[in-house]
Amino acid sequence: MRAGLAVPSGAHVSRLQVSGSDARGDPGLAMLVLFETAAGYAIFKVLDESKLQEVDSIWKEFETPEKANKVVKLKHFEKFQDTTEALAAATALVEGKLSKNLKKVLKKIAAKEAHEQLAISDAKLGGVIKDKVNISCVHSAMVTELMRGIRNQVDGLITGLSTREMAAMSLGLAHSLSRYKLKFSPDKVDTMIVQAISLLDDLDKELNNYIMRCREWYGWHFPELGKIITDNLAYCKCVRAVGDRVNFAAFDLSEILPEEVEAEVKTACEISMGTEVSEEDINNILHLCDQVIEISEYRTQLYDYLKNRMMAIAPNLTVLVGELVGARLIAHAGSLLNLAKHPASTVQILGAEKALFRALKTKRDTPKYGLIYHASLVGQTTPKNKGKISRMLAAKASLAIRYDALGEDTNAELGVETRAKLEVRLRHLEEKGLKRISGTGKALARADKYQHKSEVRVYDPSGDSTLPSVSKKRKIEEVEEEEEQPTEVKVKKAKKPKIEPVEEAEGICLNTVNIDIKLLCSGEVCLGGTLVRDVETILCYLCRRTRSRGDAKEEEEKEESDKD
C-alpha cells in the first residue's frame, strides 16, 4: 500500500478549504500533517511554513533527509498491531470513514494542541474529522506536494522502523487489501472467467480467418480437396503432412482421414485442375497450417480450463445453461455478484439491449431472449415454446446465480434438480399435457371434454365446369299455364339499307356493271333478273360491286409483284 492517506474514488480532491480558515493555514497557528503508512499512523509538525509558500519548489526541500528534517518533524507514530488492524484502517480510509485507532490518536492531539490545524490529503475525510473530533483540517495543492515530499523521505523521517520491516508490512497489507477488494476466495475469482471467454471468442474469429485464408490459398493448387474434406482441422493436418498434391497418391492418411475419404482424395489428386505452385508458396501455406493447428489445440485447452473454472465458481448456473452461456452472462454483467443483482427479467434479455430499446422506441414487441437463447434447453424447443421456456429458464437461472454467488455450498444439486423440473415442464409443453407441474404435483388439472364445434362446409362442384348450365325441367302445370296465355308476337321493323357515300359514283358504277344511263335516269334497272326502281338500292349495289372488284384487282397486282 502506498504511504499517505488513500483518496476514495468518489472524493472530490481540489484546492479547497475544509474548515473556515485559509487553504494554506493561518500564519498564527502551527500546522500538523496526518500521514498514513502500512506500519501505522504518523503525525508530523511543520517547522517552517515559509518554505511551503511556493508550491512548485516544495520538492526541493525534500531532496535529502537532512533538508526534510528541517521542514517537518515526527511528533507521534501509532503503530499497527497486525495486518488485520492495518487492513481495517486502510479500508476505512478508502471508504472515507474514520477508524477507531485514528479517532483515538486525533483525540489525544485535540486534548494537547487543540489550536493547531491538521493537513490531510482527502477532503472527504477532513469533513468527517471536523464533525467527530472538532479539529480544523486543511487540504490544498500545497498539502498534496507536502505529502509527496514526506513519502519520498519516509525512511529518514520515521525513526525506529527499518526499511526491510516497512517493505514487508507494505507487501502484506497490499495482499490483504487485494483480497478484500475481490470479496471472494481465490477459487471464486470470476475475473478469470471474463478474460477466458473473451479470449475464446477472439480465438474463434482468428481461426475462422486463418482457415478461410488457408483453404483459399491452397485451393489454387488443389481445389477438389476443400470439397472432399469439410473438417477444417483435418484439412490443415492433411495439407501440413503432404504438401504438394502429387504426394497425396503415395501418402498414408489413415491416421487423419477415414478410408473412404482417403480413397476419394487420392482419386481427385490425379485428375485435379489446380495450378502448379512453387516450393516457396507451399512452405508459406504449411506455416499457416501450423498456426491453425496450434491455435486449435490452444483453444481446446482454454475451453477445458473455462469449463473447470465455471464448475468451481458457478456450478448450478453451468448445469442449467452450460459453461459458454454462463460465462458470457457473467462477462456481460461484469462479475458474478453483479449478475446476481439482476432480476430474472433482465437475465432473460441480457445481451439483447439493442433490440429492446429499438422495440421500445418503435412501440413494437420486446425481445423474448438474449444470450440465454443459446442454452441447450431453449435450442431443443419448438419455435412456439421458445419464449415460455426462456422465461422459465431465466427465473431458475437467477436463483442459481444468487445461490452460487452468495451461498456457502459449492455443489450443483440445486442446478440438477431445477434442470430436471425444466425438462419435465418442457416435455409437457411439447406434448400439451394436462398434468400440473408446480406445487405437490398430486392434483390434476381439470379440463372439459373436447367437442368439435366447427362448421362442416360441403364442396360445391358447380364451379368446376365452364359450360353453360342447363335449365331445370319445368313442371307440367307451368307448361300448361304458359300455353293457355296468349302470346304477343312482336313484329320487327325492317332496317333501311345504309348508304355509303362514294365519290364519283356515276362513272365508276356505270363502267363497272355496264348499266344503261337511260335506264338509270328513268329509275328502272334490272339487277339479277329483277326489275328495281329504287334509286338508293341501285346505288348501294353499285358501291358494293365496285369495292369487291377493287379488292380483287389489288390482290392480283400483289401476286404479280411477288412473282416478279
Side-chain angles (χ1 to χ4, degrees):
M1 176 184 170
R2 63 182 180 86
L5 287 174
V7 182
S9 59
H12 178 64
V13 181
S14 61
R15 197 175 294 181
L16 53 87
Q17 176 187 352
V18 178
S19 65
S21 59
D22 183 38
R24 293 186 298 177
D26 190 353
L29 300 177
M31 182 182 291
L32 300 177
V33 180
L34 176 62
F35 189 82
E36 192 268 342
T37 66
Y41 296 110
I43 296 178
F44 295 93
K45 185 173 183 178
V46 179
L47 301 177
D48 189 0
E49 292 190 25
S50 60
K51 296 181 180 181
L52 306 178
Q53 298 300 323
E54 296 183 5
V55 179
D56 296 335
S57 61
I58 291 178
W59 63 273
K60 297 179 181 178
E61 304 298 332
F62 290 90
E63 290 181 345
T64 60
E66 292 78 11
K67 288 185 177 182
N69 284 316
K70 294 179 181 179
V71 180
V72 293
K73 180 183 178 182
L74 182 64
K75 187 173 183 180
H76 180 76
F77 184 75
E78 185 72 19
K79 188 177 180 180
F80 296 135
Q81 299 296 328
D82 52 8
T83 309
T84 305
E85 186 178 352
L87 178 61
T91 52
L93 290 172
V94 169
E95 296 172 0
K97 298 178 181 179
L98 189 64
S99 62
K100 295 181 180 180
N101 294 337
L102 181 58
K103 190 174 182 179
K104 291 180 183 179
V105 174
L106 294 177
K107 282 185 176 180
K108 291 180 183 178
I109 297 173
K112 294 181 180 179
E113 302 177 6
H115 60 282
E116 295 183 351
Q117 289 181 333
L118 184 65
I120 59 171
S121 61
D122 185 10
K124 186 177 180 181
L125 182 63
V128 177
I129 293 174
K130 176 65 177 176
D131 296 337
K132 297 292 182 66
V133 192
N134 197 17
I135 296 179
S136 179
C137 299
V138 177
H139 172 71
S140 63
M142 178 267 294
V143 174
T144 305
E145 292 296 326
L146 181 61
M147 293 287 184
R148 185 177 290 115
I150 296 174
R151 191 179 303 115
N152 291 334
Q153 303 295 336
V154 66
D155 296 334
L157 293 173
I158 299 177
T159 58
L161 194 64
S162 62
T163 306
R164 185 176 180 180
E165 186 179 359
M166 178 69 77
M169 296 182 73
S170 299
L171 183 62
L173 181 60
H175 289 172
S176 300
L177 188 61
S178 299
R179 294 192 190 97
Y180 172 78
K181 287 182 178 180
L182 290 173
K183 296 181 181 179
F184 288 108
S185 63
D187 295 334
K188 302 192 73 174
V189 180
D190 50 7
T191 309
M192 304 301 173
I193 291 179
V194 176
Q195 299 298 329
I197 191 63
S198 301
L199 179 59
L200 195 67
D201 293 338
D202 294 340
L203 287 178
D204 289 336
K205 292 178 183 178
E206 293 300 324
L207 268 176
N208 288 333
N209 292 332
Y210 280 13
I211 291 168
M212 179 187 68
R213 186 64 55 203
C214 182
R215 282 179 173 271
E216 186 177 355
W217 199 350
Y218 195 74
W220 289 97
H221 181 55
F222 193 1
E224 293 82 5
L225 185 65
K227 296 180 180 179
I228 298 172
I229 305 177
T230 57
D231 184 49
N232 295 324
L233 186 58
Y235 181 90
C236 293
K237 287 182 178 180
C238 288
V239 175
R240 180 67 186 87
V242 179
D244 199 335
R245 73 161 183 262
V246 181
N247 303 329
F248 273 98
F251 203 88
D252 185 15
L253 298 173
S254 58
E255 297 181 358
I256 304 174
L257 301 175
E259 294 181 1
E260 300 82 5
V261 180
E262 182 183 1
E264 190 175 355
V265 169
K266 291 182 179 181
T267 305
C269 72
E270 297 176 357
I271 57 173
S272 177
M273 299 178 64
T275 60
E276 297 294 334
V277 293
S278 62
E279 186 177 355
E280 185 178 359
D281 296 333
I282 292 292
N283 292 333
N284 284 289
I285 296 174
L286 297 182
H287 183 66
L288 181 59
C289 292
D290 289 336
Q291 297 294 324
V292 172
I293 294 171
E294 290 177 3
I295 295 175
S296 300
E297 292 175 354
Y298 176 64
R299 188 200 177 280
T300 305
Q301 177 185 352
L302 183 65
Y303 178 71
D304 294 337
Y305 164 77
L306 179 64
K307 189 188 301 183
N308 297 331
R309 295 302 298 170
M310 281 297 296
M311 287 303 298
I313 295 175
N316 296 285
L317 178 63
T318 305
V319 170
L320 277 178
V321 299
E323 52 275 348
L324 290 179
V325 179
R328 287 193 173 91
L329 288 173
I330 294 174
H332 197 82
S335 65
L336 186 63
L337 188 61
N338 291 341
L339 185 61
K341 296 177 183 178
H342 290 322
S345 58
T346 305
V347 174
Q348 181 181 353
I349 61 171
L350 204 64
E353 291 84 3
K354 194 173 181 180
L356 173 65
F357 292 123
R358 183 171 62 246
L360 294 175
K361 185 177 180 180
T362 57
K363 295 181 180 180
R364 295 185 178 180
D365 294 338
T366 55
K368 296 180 180 179
Y369 26 68
L371 291 171
I372 206 171
Y373 178 80
H374 300 285
S376 59
L377 283 174
V378 181
Q380 66 188 9
T381 315
T382 57
K384 183 178 65 175
N385 296 323
K386 283 187 186 294
K388 292 181 180 180
I389 199 66
S390 63
R391 182 172 62 251
M392 292 186 289
L393 181 60
K396 299 300 182 182
S398 63
L399 293 177
I401 292 165
R402 292 164 190 170
Y403 187 83
D404 292 332
L406 307 174
E408 297 180 357
D409 298 334
T410 57
N411 52 18
E413 294 179 359
L414 177 65
V416 173
E417 294 177 1
T418 307
R419 186 179 178 88
K421 291 181 180 179
L422 287 174
E423 288 177 351
V424 172
R425 177 60 177 163
L426 174 61
R427 188 160 55 251
H428 277 263
L429 283 176
E430 296 294 338
E431 299 174 357
K432 296 182 180 180
L434 300 175
K435 188 176 291 186
R436 193 175 67 180
I437 304 303
S438 60
T440 58
K442 295 179 180 179
L444 297 178
R446 294 181 179 179
D448 296 334
K449 187 177 180 180
Y450 177 74
Q451 294 180 356
H452 187 70
K453 299 179 181 179
S454 62
E455 297 180 359
V456 179
R457 295 182 179 181
V458 182
Y459 178 71
D460 185 13
S462 62
D464 294 343
S465 177
T466 58
L467 299 175
S469 59
V470 182
S471 59
K472 297 180 180 179
K473 295 182 179 179
R474 294 179 295 177
K475 295 181 179 180
I476 300 175
E477 298 176 356
E478 295 178 358
V479 176
E480 291 177 353
E481 290 177 359
E482 289 181 358
E483 291 178 353
E484 291 176 358
Q485 293 178 358
T487 57
E488 296 180 358
V489 180
K490 293 182 180 180
V491 180
K492 295 183 179 180
K493 296 181 179 180
K495 293 183 179 180
K496 294 182 179 181
K498 293 182 180 180
I499 302 173
E500 298 180 1
V502 180
E503 296 181 359
E504 299 181 359
E506 293 182 0
I508 298 173
C509 293
L510 293 175
N511 295 331
T512 306
V513 295
N514 299 322
I515 299 175
D516 191 358
I517 192 64
K518 294 180 180 181
L519 294 175
L520 183 61
C521 292
S522 63
E524 295 180 358
V525 177
C526 183
L527 299 176
T530 305
L531 184 66
V532 180
R533 295 180 180 180
D534 190 5
V535 179
E536 293 180 358
T537 306
I538 297 170
L539 291 176
C540 290
Y541 178 78
L542 292 174
C543 291
R544 286 197 298 272
R545 291 290 302 274
T546 304
R547 189 173 299 169
S548 61
R549 291 189 178 184
D551 295 339
K553 189 175 182 180
E554 287 179 0
E555 290 178 1
E556 291 177 1
E557 292 177 356
K558 188 175 181 181
E559 289 176 359
E560 290 178 0
S561 62
D562 292 338
K563 290 179 181 179
D564 295 337

